[in-house]
Amino acid sequence: MIERKVVLITGGAGYIGSHTTLVLLRAGYKVLVLDNLSNSSYLSLKRVSKMTGTAPSFVHGDVRDRRLLDNLFRLNKVDSVIHFAGLKAVGESVNDPLSYYSNNTAGTVTLCQAMAAAGVCSLIFSSSATVYGNGATVPINEEQMADYPTNPYGRSKRMIEQILFDLARSNDKWSIGVLRYFNPVGAHESGLIGEDPLGVPNNLLPYLAQVALGKMPELPIFGDDYETHDGTGVRDYIHVMDLAEGHLSALTALETRSGVNIWNLGTGKGYSVLEVVQAFEAANGCNVPYRIVGRRPGDIAVCYADPSKAARELGWHAKLDLTTMMRDTWRWQTLNPNGYRD
Ligand code: NAD
Ligand code: WQD
């Protein structure tokens, strides 16, 4: 009998983590999820179990808890780790930077220490296009580093990347994939799992979907005076299922690669806020009232990926188009108007 590979997914109950757990289970991996549920619900994993007919093992705990990690690695023969766990709200990181350096940066250090002690040296880390900072030239390739990121969240991610480089330089046993996501959106086509932000959403798609649902009166569009074709900000939106598939490809690639490997996960296409609103309305036959308001501090005009390195080295590219992203967002939102909460 072929032994199934075991992957520890930290933050696996969250938005991207739950979709990746689904993809890995379907690909035949054994999955162990570690999550403190600070920004997610166990229901996401229950639904993943139902969808796949296989349950991931679940440990309710914190990635900063070294004793828990040591026990976890002692009791389970883990082959690789995919590390999603962390905080991600840019505005919150400005008001509470220490939580970001603790959960994200220190959390990753503790995880790597426990991995090193257990002899587990294959790691995929969730980074972000935010590490490129302001002033990068589009399409952004992996070599570009403009200013330092403008907020503690982004800095926590860039610091982690630097720590991972130092770690890989110190010992050539490490195989590390740093995945820089652009703007993940959408949900699994079943509408059973999706993004479930607590409180008022920060990001465009969850906000827009809540306006369409009538939970919010109108979408604020942050500025129409950028140097873009219609004045609103341009981003590279990527379907969360394409992103999840990217993790599977990276996991396979790391079997034959060492050191730190950085891959952009984006589509390479940029859409403006107004184009997204129009695409959502056209795909779902609904009306999204909006109002142009002032720019949001820290926003940049244009950001989209050069995804050719991932295509070349991983054989991966995003397949799902903007219309599919809009349809799947709406299906999830209408089937689960209160997210995972009843
Ligand atoms: P999410 O909040 O849905 O998932 C993160 C998960 O980690 C949650 O389930 C949360 O409960 C858990 N968690 C947080 N701190 C923890 C800790 N200390 N110990 C254990 N579990 C903890 O977010 P997501 O959108 O799925 O993002 C996943 C990763 O991808 C994050 O690292 C995020 O920074 C990164 N990322 C996200 C985006 C995006 O727009 N969603 C873009 C780029 C990068
Ligand atoms: C997209 C566009 C806004 C909300 C953020 C993080 C980044 C990464 C992804 C984690 C922009 C506009 C938004 C609204 C609007 N996360 N907008 N009205 O800012 O590109 O990236 O999420 O790593 O680090 O910074 O994403 O979805 O917030 O904004 O007009 O109510 O929509 O100005 O042009 P962003 P977003």
Side-chain angles (χ1 to χ4, degrees):
M1 201 178 98
I2 302 169
E3 234 183 273
R4 290 196 296 157
K5 290 234 163 84
V6 181
V7 180
L8 167 65
I9 303 191
T10 74
Y15 173 43
I16 306 170
S18 55
H19 290 79
T20 304
T21 299
L22 175 94
V23 165
L24 259 61
L25 287 173
R26 287 209 166 133
Y29 287 87
K30 251 179 103 172
V31 176
L32 176 61
V33 168
L34 168 68
D35 201 303
N36 66 5
L37 301 180
S38 59
N39 195 38
S40 54
S41 162
Y42 180 62
L43 201 51
S44 66
L45 295 176
K46 277 188 44 189
R47 292 196 180 168
V48 166
S49 306
K50 220 171 165 183
M51 292 157 81
T52 57
T54 335
S57 308
F58 178 66
V59 178
H60 185 193
D62 198 292
V63 81
R64 293 165 293 179
D65 185 341
R66 176 68 195 272
R67 261 182 41 177
L68 181 145
L69 289 173
D70 286 343
N71 278 330
L72 192 154
F73 284 119
R74 193 169 44 78
L75 296 172
N76 301 275
K77 195 200 102 358
V78 172
D79 295 292
S80 304
V81 177
I82 303 184
H83 179 36
F84 292 105
L87 306 180
K88 61 166 182 175
V90 171
E92 182 185 67
S93 80
V94 174
N95 296 323
D96 185 11
L98 294 182
S99 288
Y100 280 70
Y101 294 121
S102 172
N103 277 277
N104 297 1
T105 314
T108 305
V109 171
T110 304
L111 174 67
C112 289
Q113 285 171 327
M115 287 176 69
V120 180
C121 297
S122 165
L123 171 69
I124 292 179
F125 170 63
S126 296
S127 190
S128 166
T130 198
V131 300
Y132 291 114
N134 286 338
T137 312
V138 290
I140 303 174
N141 65 39
E142 289 83 351
E143 300 302 311
Q144 291 197 39
M145 275 297 159
D147 303 334
Y148 228 69
T150 52
N151 56 74
Y153 166 70
R155 285 192 280 274
S156 76
K157 291 284 179 189
R158 188 131 159 210
M159 282 176 198
I160 296 166
E161 289 195 356
Q162 289 165 333
I163 290 166
L164 295 178
F165 269 107
D166 287 340
L167 184 60
R169 270 186 221 112
S170 74
N171 188 326
D172 60 14
K173 279 199 301 205
W174 286 93
S175 301
I176 299 176
V178 166
L179 305 185
R180 293 183 180 151
Y181 314 151
F182 280 67
N183 287 60
V185 298
H188 186 263
E189 62 179 359
S190 64
L192 288 171
I193 54 173
E195 185 169 14
D196 180 20
L198 287 173
V200 178
N202 300 304
N203 296 114
L204 178 62
L205 255 295
Y207 202 113
L208 191 160
Q210 294 204 9
V211 172
L213 207 60
K215 286 182 143 193
M216 236 84 78
E218 59 189 12
L219 173 73
I221 293 188
F222 300 135
D224 66 351
D225 55 353
Y226 285 104
E227 283 203 17
T228 60
H229 62 281
D230 63 16
T232 64
V234 168
R235 296 290 184 275
D236 184 339
Y237 297 95
I238 174 167
H239 197 293
V240 66
M241 285 304 293
D242 275 332
L243 203 58
E245 294 287 346
H247 291 73
L248 180 59
S249 303
L251 203 53
T252 313
L254 285 188
E255 288 175 10
T256 54
R257 286 174 172 272
S258 60
V260 176
N261 303 267
I262 300 181
W263 291 295
N264 279 345
L265 296 187
T267 66
K269 293 192 194 82
Y271 291 101
S272 74
V273 180
L274 282 172
E275 283 171 333
V276 170
V277 172
Q278 281 151 14
F280 188 92
E281 291 181 330
N284 300 314
C286 56
N287 181 36
V288 180
Y290 65 82
R291 180 195 300 269
I292 307 289
V293 300
R295 291 182 179 195
R296 184 172 63 177
D299 271 356
I300 53 176
V302 182
C303 176
Y304 57 88
D306 172 352
S308 58
K309 186 166 184 260
R312 228 172 26 248
E313 296 183 355
L314 302 179
W316 170 92
H317 66 273
K319 299 192 180 85
L320 302 172
D321 64 10
L322 190 65
T323 300
T324 309
M325 299 180 212
M326 299 301 115
R327 278 208 194 112
D328 291 343
T329 299
W330 189 226
R331 190 177 301 108
W332 155 254
Q333 186 71 71
T334 47
L335 289 176
N336 306 272
N338 300 314
Y340 292 112
R341 293 165 292 273
D342 288 326

